Amino acid sequence: MGDRLKGKSAIVTGAGRGIGRAIAMALAQEGASVVVNDFGVKRDGTDPAPGPADEVVQEIKSLGGKAIANYGDISSWLDSENLIKACLDNFGKLDILVNVAGILRDRMIFNMSEDEWDSVIRVHLKGTFNCTRHACVLMRQQRGGRIINTTSAAWLGNTGQINYVAAKAGIVNITRSVAREMGRYGVTCNAIAPGAATRMTSDPTVAEATKTKGYRPTQEGPEHVAPIVVYLCTDQAANINGLVFGAAGGKLSVYSEETELKSIYKDPSKGHWTQAELELLMPVSLARELVNPAPPQPPAEPKT
Ligand SMILES: NC(=O)c1ccc[n+]([C@@H]2O[C@H](COP(=O)([O-])OP(=O)(O)OC[C@H]3O[C@@H](n4cnc5c(N)ncnc54)[C@H](O)[C@@H]3O)[C@@H](O)[C@H]2O)c1
């Protein structure tokens, strides 16, 4: 046990399994009191159960740490408000919020149902907003706090997961915006893009389309993701704000913020761009050396 987070209280959502569990354990091992939130659902978000949160609380306690369980659904406004209250009621304040909870409902866009879209957006995007929103009320009053969200490298675009990609891109921009809104109150907000062997990545149905391109899920466990999260909660990280960190196996990385790559300009007083001008200029300027990530393919041969 260390004492880098002694006296701090933390909430970790989705902490009953996988990456959330590893982060909750690591925070507790540095002395933080932890609210272990988990709705206890299957990978697709169905069948809630209290078991996973209870088990992690027992594990933390057996190692001499402090923890309580919370079984709320973070996609519910009320449950997420009660989650923040549970931390306040039990530990007196909220210093750290780590949003990890997530589900998968992978499907190519032409097959995706409305429910598959809505449920993934609700849990990841609304769930992250809900918990962060309620936490920020408190952190603003306290004039301090740490928020760490969970995105995915898939936020940059992927096949077979349009709902997940949209949610994870939204989480990156929630992170950057909360960082800008809350920095003045001494609150930092960063995100991790993790990679770890969990039930989310081990299932054979995960992003079927990505596997055809030779995608290999990370083999290492979620304990490799936890240290950077703990670091972001320490005093040394007080000025690290609005960034996305990759964490998978032994590799840690930091992502750049997107900016305009190149531009062309026409004096607006001379009218808007004409198609003839674009046809002339685009191939030698904005579209120069660009590569189609998925060029058209001939139709598959009918199976005999
Ligand atoms: N494992 C990876 O390689 C990987 C890669 C990129 C991103 N991620 C992200 O990391 C996070 C954790 O993934 P994991 O691999 O540990 O998955 P996991 O399935 O092992 O754990 C997710 C946990 O979230 C809980 N949960 C789901 N919906 C919830 C809700 N509405 N309220 C509260 N809890 C809920 C589940 O019960 C589960 O215990 C997710 O946001 C995922 O998108 C994981």
Side-chain angles (χ1 to χ4, degrees):
M1 299 276 283
D3 62 1
R4 288 177 180 80
L5 302 176
K6 200 169 164 224
K8 307 272 185 202
S9 11
I11 294 173
V12 184
T13 74
R17 294 189 187 89
I19 294 170
R21 174 185 167 278
I23 291 169
M25 304 279 298
L27 293 172
Q29 274 159 12
E30 284 295 341
S33 304
V34 183
V35 182
V36 174
N37 159 269
D38 205 293
F39 198 28
V41 283
K42 289 190 188 154
R43 224 174 56 101
D44 66 359
T46 57
D47 284 348
D54 283 339
E55 281 163 30
V56 173
V57 167
Q58 284 318 312
E59 270 183 278
I60 291 175
K61 285 184 173 169
S62 69
L63 295 168
K66 265 204 206 167
I68 58 159
N70 173 281
Y71 316 111
D73 170 3
I74 51 129
S75 71
S76 146
W77 178 261
L78 191 63
D79 280 10
S80 56
E81 191 171 20
N82 286 334
L83 170 61
I84 307 296
K85 276 192 194 141
C87 187
L88 198 60
D89 292 347
N90 284 274
F91 303 133
K93 61 192 172 97
L94 170 64
D95 302 297
I96 297 161
L97 168 68
V98 191
N99 289 305
V100 188
I103 62 169
L104 278 186
R105 305 281 296 274
D106 289 354
R107 197 84 66 190
M108 294 296 275
I109 189 164
F110 39 79
N111 289 325
M112 185 165 289
S113 69
E114 185 180 9
D115 182 59
E116 286 163 344
W117 170 267
D118 285 348
S119 55
V120 167
I121 295 289
R122 200 181 62 246
V123 172
H124 287 274
L125 193 61
K126 187 175 176 202
T128 298
F129 164 72
N130 281 348
C131 297
T132 304
R133 191 274 184 202
H134 296 306
C136 282
V137 174
L138 216 57
M139 289 178 172
R140 179 169 172 244
Q141 286 162 6
Q142 291 172 182
R143 297 197 79 86
R146 295 281 198 280
I147 300 167
I148 291 106
N149 295 325
T150 306
T151 181
S152 161
W155 122 69
L156 295 163
N158 204 3
T159 42
Q161 312 189 283
I162 202 89
N163 47 3
Y164 185 75
V165 168
K168 291 307 197 186
I171 287 172
V172 167
N173 287 300
I174 285 179
T175 302
R176 290 172 178 162
S177 302
V178 170
R180 284 159 173 79
E181 290 192 15
M182 295 299 292
R184 75 189 69 176
Y185 304 109
V187 178
T188 66
C189 184
N190 294 287
I192 51 163
T198 67
R199 71 170 183 171
M200 194 175 264
T201 48
S202 61
D203 192 284
T205 62
V206 171
E208 193 54 45
T210 58
K211 284 191 298 180
T212 58
K213 290 200 302 185
Y215 169 77
R216 188 186 69 94
T218 310
Q219 305 296 309
E220 285 82 16
E223 65 277 8
H224 292 277
V225 175
I228 183 70
V229 176
V230 173
Y231 178 77
L232 291 171
C233 296
T234 62
D235 292 342
Q236 203 186 98
N239 277 309
I240 301 178
N241 198 13
L243 294 175
V244 180
F245 293 92
K251 182 180 165 190
L252 294 177
S253 52
V254 66
Y255 284 83
S256 62
E257 285 202 20
E258 299 86 345
T259 53
E260 285 175 349
L261 199 56
K262 40 191 167 177
S263 55
I264 52 177
Y265 183 80
K266 176 176 177 177
D267 184 346
S269 67
K270 303 211 164 101
H272 57 65
W273 288 101
T274 65
Q275 288 307 310
E277 287 168 338
L278 290 181
E279 281 162 10
L280 196 69
L281 269 176
M282 284 294 287
V284 295
S285 58
L286 302 191
R288 195 170 157 229
E289 288 166 3
L290 294 189
V291 177
N292 180 350
Q297 302 290 315
E301 291 292 324
K303 286 190 183 124
T304 48

